Amino acid sequence: MDSTVAPERRRAQLWVLTATHAANDFYTGAVAALLPFFVLHAHYSYAAVAGITLAATALSSIAQPGFGYLSDRYGLGWISLAGLLAAGAGVALSGFFSSSYIVVWVLIAMSGIGVAAYHPAATMQAREAGGGTTAAMSLFSVGGNAGVALAPAAAVAVVGAFGLRGTGLLIVPAVVLALAYFVVARHQLFRRVKPRDVAVAAHTDLRDDWRAFGWLTAVLATWSVAYVGTSTFVVLYCVARFHSTPDYASIALTVFPAAGAVGTLAGGWLSDRVGRLPVLRCGYLAGVGGIVAIVLAPSPLVVFVATGALGLALFAPFAGQITLAHSYLPNRIGVASGVTLGLTLSLGGVVSPLLGMIADGVGVRWVFVILAALLAVGFGTSFVLAERAPAQIEVVDVPGDAEAASATSVT
């Protein structure tokens, strides 16, 4: 970040970025919240709605590292706003075409690509604005939790009032927050940024550790399946097992990310003090317990409580996982962000159709048994990981092709 930018403006940028993150991830939550209505009103099967989850994530899983590479190579901060608007447009239009599964699939896929485009550039911007600390990253991350938490109530309200065509109103958060961030940080959105000098990057402490990053990605893959699987099936689980109405069951989709927001903030604070890996391991282990509690729950109310505990546990390591990825790939912050925030989250969506087939075949309850087992594997694999001190990262603003205007260090 340009050293001439005042601390007050940096804080303002971080807070507005956090709000745009809320708007962006609102659409991920909206997709999950709309699934029961596609089942009830458009008569989609469990496998079909799991396919919609796949649409929201599959292309995103491919595109996200690519957007991360572009963010590393060219800056292109404006991609974050373009992605936010695409994410909103896809979800907003989906309800108008519920009679055509293929069109809905394409629109949700467009939304997923928008979410993918947003994350790497926005994460790099948040890293600069917040000084690279885990606590600052947890604040940015919690915006995503807040957006996902607000989505079910908004989706239920618009569909309840206007039917599936009410999804058109869901475009409002994208437009409002995109405009707000453009006003606050337009100078950051349209500058070109290049990585620090390659000769500096050749220093031993600053080399990219792809092996460690690969192990971290494997751990995060189990997190992804647990997160996406819970988001996709917890409402359907309550409807199928306890005959809850979708409106009542959707409380779980509010509790899950709301508790996750608390976990993200607390986990970021703890990670800066006791270390990222202890928080990660405790979170994964507690997450296994939360999923087991969902499986054994005797009532929807207990499911809601257990889902809240699961959200708290899963998101406690979230910001630490991002900064750990940055420390493993200090020269590829965009790629690290793209994989950590996108590819690993999307892997859960890729698995969702298989989970949907299992739910159709033997019941939704067995989906959560599988999720608990996978998260336990992630906990065990995490012991391969090691802490790595964050390196200083220089960001060079390039107003033209020939010369750099300024440079500053961000830890």
Side-chain angles (χ1 to χ4, degrees), residues 10-33:
R10 294 186 188 185
R11 283 194 293 271
Q13 289 176 2
L14 182 60
W15 279 103
V16 177
L17 265 170
T18 299
T20 65
H21 196 189
N24 186 74
D25 286 18
F26 173 91
Y27 297 107
T28 299
V31 170

Side-chain angles (χ1 to χ4, degrees), residues 124-217:
M124 293 176 72
Q125 292 159 12
R127 183 173 182 270
E128 291 183 54
T133 66
T134 303
M137 189 57 65
S138 70
L139 176 62
F140 172 71
S141 299
V142 85
N145 298 114
V148 176
L150 292 171
V156 168
V158 298
V159 174
F162 304 104
L164 281 173
R165 289 175 176 260
T167 57
L169 294 173
L170 298 179
I171 191 65
V172 173
V175 174
V176 171
L177 271 302
L179 179 61
Y181 191 64
F182 177 81
V183 170
V184 171
R186 56 187 177 274
H187 69 282
Q188 190 177 27
L189 295 174
F190 295 100
R191 67 177 183 168
R192 291 184 58 210
V193 178
K194 70 177 182 179
R196 75 173 113 75
D197 191 89
V198 175
V200 178
H203 190 280
T204 302
D205 293 339
L206 302 180
R207 288 177 181 166
D208 294 328
D209 189 344
W210 288 99
R211 182 177 181 276
F213 183 73
W215 280 113
L216 177 62
T217 301

